[in-house]
Amino acid sequence: MESHITLYTLIGKPERVKAALIASFADMTEAVIDADGEHFTIKLKDDSEIAFSVNSDQKFMRGHLAGMRNFFAQVPFQCENPELRESVLRQIQAFNCLAGSTFELDENEDRTNYIINSMLAAAGEINALVLMPDMRLFSADGKLVYSSEGKSDFEEYTPIANADFLDSRFEESPADIARRARSIAALEEKGIPYLPQLYVAVPEAEAKPRSAEEIAKRLLAMFGACVYSEARGGGEKWKGAQKYLHKINEYLGGGLNDALTPNEKTYLAEKKPTQQDLANFSWRYECCHVLLWALGLFEELGWPDKICDVSRMGKLIWNLDGLTDLLARVKMRSREELLDAADLILRCDWACVDARINGREAPAGLDGGVAMEWHRATEWLVGGCEGADWDDVRTDT
């Protein structure tokens, strides 16, 4: 019978994963059979084999981790600390590389234990977590991080990162260094703690800001979903709430379906959404606020310390004559302004997460929910997460 154990890590040099695995099995290895670098087989001295596959393709990882995150998000929660699961889910979202292993499971318990211990040893070298076949997620020292039953050996869990990822994922330009300094100065003035070694949200060389038209279409589609959610949450039926979406569809010249994300389409098609889904999509008003600022329609972005003014937003959008009218009013923010905002909001979100994990109130009156939504929006605006589509944007801190 085949069995599978998978390592998940956040690492700057994926080649280190293969090296760690080979080193961990070295004392019992007969030969290493290399297929193409990412796929290799270790033949043990008892003539049995373990096949490995290392994958750091970010498009694959985003889809794979989304499924893994959704699985653990839905399991029953049995831990005393309600923040622990959120920390584990953030950890899952942060991974950028996995190493899967496949081997034949037999009655030799010593061999099985050897394989497990060797995988844990490799995890220790690359700061990885280990997923067992029964969907139990372990730290490198063998402690249960989270299981399919919602259990954990941890009372608190702080997401991990690998030093070489922080040190070498990109070279900071003078503009990046100056941007970080400006963000830190602003945080210090507000009395907000920060992580000095946290790099800029998106480096200057990798930034690909969205076009005004792309932002405008995302704004209108998302605003429609928000108003729909607010109406449904207030007791309006599915059919009645469609009028808001029909209006946005008119704005977009019949192109609402093309402007919606896959997640939004699935949600809006559900005639009996959960209260949690209604709340989650209502929070996107905060993202709309950021996009309106990016288009120059709101003068100030402000700080993520209070819920946005939805009434003001509604007056602006519902008085438009459509997408063309919206684009005619745009005074697009500069690339530098967008990158500055993305970096500052990343650090605000980090401060909120750090406070929550350590049982403290968010500093300087920051609102953790607002900060996370602003983080999502600013990351998307500058092409973060390698230009990921809206649904795939991560809010790692």
Side-chain angles (χ1 to χ4, degrees), residues 210-212 214-216 218-220 222-223 226 282-310 312-313 316-317 326 330-334 337-346 348-349 367-383 390 393 395:
R210 309 283 175 169
S211 69
E214 190 176 5
I215 297 169
R218 178 88 294 267
L219 165 66
L220 292 174
M222 186 162 52
F223 177 76
C226 289
S282 293
W283 267 106
R284 296 293 189 267
Y285 274 131
E286 295 299 333
C287 298
C288 293
H289 170 85
V290 175
L291 299 195
L292 281 163
W293 169 81
L295 292 171
L297 300 177
F298 280 177
E299 187 174 339
E300 299 291 338
L301 177 60
W303 287 84
D305 54 6
K306 58 182 177 295
I307 302 297
C308 65
D309 188 341
V310 175
R312 178 191 178 203
M313 188 184 302
L316 189 158
I317 293 177
L326 173 58
V330 166
K331 297 179 180 178
M332 191 68 195
R333 300 286 172 183
S334 69
E337 287 178 288
L338 295 176
L339 285 167
D340 280 356
D343 188 66
L344 181 61
I345 298 307
L346 161 68
C348 287
D349 193 17
D367 184 308
V370 174
M372 185 173 70
E373 295 301 331
W374 286 24
H375 185 179
R376 186 193 317 278
T378 53
E379 190 82 10
W380 179 81
L381 278 170
V382 295
W390 181 270
V393 169
T395 55

Side-chain angles (χ1 to χ4, degrees), residues 308-324:
C308 65
D309 188 341
V310 175
S311 177
R312 178 191 178 203
M313 188 184 302
K315 287 178 182 178
L316 189 158
I317 293 177
W318 290 132
N319 285 315
L320 292 170
D321 288 330
L323 176 62
T324 301

Side-chain angles (χ1 to χ4, degrees), residues 31-324:
V32 176
I33 305 167
D34 205 329
D36 60 6
E38 294 183 346
H39 300 84
F40 61 99
T41 299
I42 292 180
K43 183 177 181 180
L44 300 178
K45 292 180 179 179
D46 63 0
D47 287 333
S48 64
E49 296 182 345
I50 308 171
F52 293 93
S53 177
V54 178
N55 198 323
S56 59
D57 178 79
Q58 293 310 291
K59 184 176 181 180
F60 166 82
M61 291 298 296
R62 283 195 294 270
H64 178 84
L65 294 174
M68 183 178 173
R69 183 193 184 284
N70 289 341
F71 172 83
F72 281 109
Q74 295 173 25
V75 301
F77 188 61
Q78 298 187 30
C79 304
E80 292 184 6
N81 180 4
E83 305 296 338
L84 189 145
R85 176 165 59 180
E86 183 177 348
S87 296
V88 173
L89 296 181
R90 280 180 172 268
Q91 177 70 83
I92 291 171
Q93 287 180 296
F95 292 130
N96 69 347
C97 183
L98 67 79
S101 68
T102 303
F103 56 94
E104 287 294 325
L105 197 62
D106 57 25
E107 296 179 355
N108 188 337
E109 292 186 6
D110 289 340
R111 173 179 173 274
T112 301
N113 289 333
Y114 172 77
I115 293 174
I116 292 173
N117 289 333
S118 296
M119 294 293 284
L120 290 170
E125 288 298 312
I126 56 174
N127 224 0
L129 296 187
V130 182
L131 184 67
M132 295 298 180
D134 58 1
M135 295 301 290
R136 289 185 298 162
L137 192 62
F138 287 90
S139 60
D141 59 0
K143 291 179 66 176
L144 178 65
V145 176
Y146 211 61
S147 74
S148 58
E149 298 174 335
K151 297 180 179 179
S152 177
D153 289 339
F154 289 81
E155 293 182 2
E156 292 183 352
Y157 180 78
T158 302
I160 57 176
N162 198 297
D164 67 359
F165 178 79
L166 293 174
D167 292 341
S168 64
R169 64 186 174 123
F170 58 81
E171 290 292 329
E172 281 191 305
S173 69
D176 295 327
I177 295 171
R179 178 163 294 111
R180 179 171 59 179
R182 287 195 296 273
S183 293
I184 288 175
L187 294 171
E188 289 179 338
E189 186 175 347
K190 294 279 287 187
I192 298 173
Y194 57 88
L195 188 66
Q197 63 267 37
L198 186 65
Y199 279 9
V200 291
V202 177
E204 185 88 19
E206 295 179 11
K208 295 180 180 179
R210 309 283 175 169
S211 69
E213 183 173 354
E214 190 176 5
I215 297 169
K217 288 180 177 179
R218 178 88 294 267
L219 165 66
L220 292 174
M222 186 162 52
F223 177 76
C226 289
V227 176
Y228 166 90
S229 301
E230 185 179 5
R232 293 301 308 275
E236 197 160 350
K237 300 297 184 183
W238 182 82
K239 188 174 182 179
Q242 295 299 304
K243 61 179 176 285
Y244 305 109
L245 300 176
H246 293 327
K247 183 65 175 177
I248 295 297
N249 192 42
E250 290 177 11
Y251 277 9
L252 291 167
L256 175 59
N257 191 61
D258 291 336
L260 292 169
T261 72
N263 286 351
E264 288 168 346
K265 291 176 185 177
T266 299
Y267 162 66
L268 293 173
E270 178 55 62
K271 294 187 177 181
K272 294 183 179 180
T274 65
Q275 289 300 311
Q276 187 61 58
D277 280 342
L278 290 171
N280 288 344
F281 280 90
S282 293
W283 267 106
R284 296 293 189 267
Y285 274 131
E286 295 299 333
C287 298
C288 293
H289 170 85
V290 175
L291 299 195
L292 281 163
W293 169 81
L295 292 171
L297 300 177
F298 280 177
E299 187 174 339
E300 299 291 338
L301 177 60
W303 287 84
D305 54 6
K306 58 182 177 295
I307 302 297
C308 65
D309 188 341
V310 175
S311 177
R312 178 191 178 203
M313 188 184 302
K315 287 178 182 178
L316 189 158
I317 293 177
W318 290 132
N319 285 315
L320 292 170
D321 288 330
L323 176 62
T324 301

